[in-house]
Amino acid sequence: MKFLGVNKLIEIRQLTKQYGHIVAVSDLDLEIKEGEIFALLGPNGAGKTTTIRMLTMLTKPTSGTALINGYDVTRELDKVKKEIGVVPQHMNLDQELTAWENLELHGRLYKIPATERRKRIEELLQYVELEDRARELVSRFSGGMKRRLMIARALMHWPKVLFLDEPTVGLDPQTRRKIWDLIRRMNSEGMTVLLTTHYIEEAEILCHRVGIMDKGKLIALGTPGELKKRVGEVVVETFGGKDTGYKFFATREEALAYASQVDGDVLIRESNLEDVFVELTGRKVVD
Ligand SMILES: Nc1ncnc2c1ncn2[C@@H]1O[C@H](COP(=O)(O)OP(=O)(O)OP(=O)(O)O)[C@@H](O)[C@H]1O
Ligand SMILES: [Mg+2]
């Protein structure tokens, strides 16, 4: 059953995944609206990939539900499959095939008719700036080229929502920015994007809203601005002994008042998402 007029493109209710005694994702409730770029942020093992795997039907939830554009990921597999594009964490292109052949294979799997398929492949290779490399084996591609080809492949069947698991891991800063531009461009053309990342600045710069996961649980949710407000927009760092101390304030005046009473070195700066994460979990995002 499709529910008409939903602008909640993804609706997750009490989604849980257990592997034996490990609870990888615990009671996750989350809604993502059409047109959003949403980031799941969290340290290694937080449950980000498991969440994406459940939403993209690669693994079954232990309990709970998730709807994509109104379709249930546990019961309406064919319908969900048409709505989603997936770029997994690990490279899974066929390295012995060319860029063109990889897209061709995907197009056939999705039963896109030959003429349309050819047009779509040309269009997408151009979109990700690989048109000159169409006939080259993927094994000769750089990491950034492979990533772009994976994005092109995920877009082949005109999905409504794109899932990207760590889209820029291991890429150099220029290539990372290229991927960000690509994500922004897709989004400005109407694509809803759910991505996971370890990179705070990626979530902060690129995403409308961020969910912070830790040990399988969603521990914070909001726009980067809202999350920073929550801990305090101004930080005073104090250096003494071994550790740096962090104290958060709503305003610069309050921060200055505090800093003026501190002995030793102090630094006053704006807070960022990493501060939010450390404050909420007591841990660094990247261990
Ligand atoms: N197939 C599996 N079998 C058993 N345990 C698993 C499996 N997949 C994930 N887990 C466990 O579930 C937890 C969450 O893992 P997950 O891969 O979702 O984390 P993540 O947030 O994506 O981490 P990373 O940042 O390292 O990619 C971890 O404790 C992991 O060991
Ligand atoms: Mg992961």
Side-chain angles (χ1 to χ4, degrees):
M1 253 301 276
K2 171 135 171 28
F3 304 102
L4 291 175
V6 278
N7 93 333
K8 291 175 209 151
L9 206 52
I10 304 178
E11 287 185 79
I12 303 170
R13 298 266 175 273
Q14 294 181 308
L15 197 66
T16 298
K17 179 74 185 184
Q18 271 177 267
Y19 291 108
H21 64 278
I22 295 173
V23 187
V25 175
S26 172
D27 261 340
L28 180 67
D29 281 306
L30 182 63
E31 288 177 358
I32 292 167
K33 289 194 262 338
E34 189 156 15
E36 267 194 293
I37 305 181
F38 186 95
L40 279 178
L41 192 68
N44 296 128
K48 306 179 297 293
T49 296
T50 306
T51 301
I52 290 214
R53 286 176 57 84
M54 289 192 280
L55 296 176
T56 57
M57 307 180 303
L58 292 169
T59 190
K60 269 198 176 296
T62 308
S63 59
T65 56
L67 305 181
I68 310 274
N69 201 21
Y71 300 119
D72 187 325
V73 298
T74 60
R75 291 187 285 119
E76 295 172 288
L77 275 59
D78 287 343
K79 294 213 168 90
V80 171
K81 196 174 148 198
K82 292 199 180 107
E83 305 284 345
I84 62 172
V86 187
V87 181
Q89 184 165 0
H90 299 289
M91 213 285 297
N92 67 347
L93 295 162
D94 194 324
Q95 305 243 44
E96 302 310 313
L97 298 181
T98 65
W100 182 284
E101 287 163 348
N102 268 280
L103 299 188
E104 171 77 15
L105 189 64
H106 187 90
R108 282 171 187 259
L109 286 172
Y110 279 77
K111 301 193 168 53
I112 303 170
T115 321
E116 221 173 318
R117 203 163 64 219
R118 190 173 321 120
K119 216 172 122 232
R120 185 68 174 159
I121 295 174
E122 274 169 14
E123 184 180 287
L124 283 172
L125 284 174
Q126 214 164 9
Y127 194 74
V128 299
E129 298 173 30
L130 286 173
E131 68 271 34
D132 305 342
R133 319 294 290 257
R135 302 290 174 188
E136 229 174 278
L137 288 182
V138 168
S139 56
R140 295 198 205 132
F141 280 12
S142 72
M145 289 163 66
K146 286 177 186 164
R147 191 63 52 170
R148 266 147 49 212
L149 185 60
M150 282 166 73
I151 294 175
R153 184 186 58 183
L155 296 174
M156 269 298 286
H157 55 285
W158 299 272
K160 262 188 122 68
V161 48
L162 189 64
F163 293 89
L164 299 144
D165 198 357
E166 310 276 352
T168 64
V169 73
L171 302 180
D172 67 45
Q174 281 87 347
T175 312
R176 180 176 297 169
R177 280 181 170 70
K178 271 202 151 173
I179 301 279
W180 291 350
D181 282 343
L182 190 57
I183 293 171
R184 277 204 198 96
R185 183 143 52 97
M186 290 187 290
N187 178 251
S188 72
E189 289 163 8
M191 181 71 70
T192 305
V193 178
L194 194 159
L195 61 87
T196 76
T197 186
H198 284 138
Y199 300 118
I200 305 276
E201 79 276 22
E202 186 157 288
E204 194 151 12
I205 292 169
L206 198 59
C207 300
H208 302 116
R209 279 195 311 148
V210 175
I212 299 182
M213 284 187 88
D214 190 28
K215 298 178 190 147
K217 287 197 181 302
L218 190 68
I219 58 164
L221 178 67
T223 64
E226 285 165 358
L227 293 178
K228 285 184 274 184
K229 264 210 180 87
R230 187 164 145 189
V231 298
E233 286 176 287
V234 187
V235 194
V236 179
E237 287 188 19
T238 51
F239 309 104
K242 267 198 344 248
D243 297 322
T244 303
Y246 300 87
K247 229 169 149 45
F248 294 86
F249 298 92
T251 64
R252 223 174 158 80
E253 287 70 42
E254 291 169 67
L256 275 170
Y258 169 77
S260 65
Q261 293 168 9
V262 173
D263 286 334
D265 290 343
V266 293
L267 173 72
I268 303 178
R269 61 170 174 81
E270 285 179 14
S271 66
N272 56 41
L273 272 185
E274 176 141 348
D275 296 317
V276 175
F277 189 88
V278 173
E279 187 66 7
L280 293 176
T281 66
R283 298 199 283 142
K284 289 266 180 197
V285 175
V286 183
D287 293 325

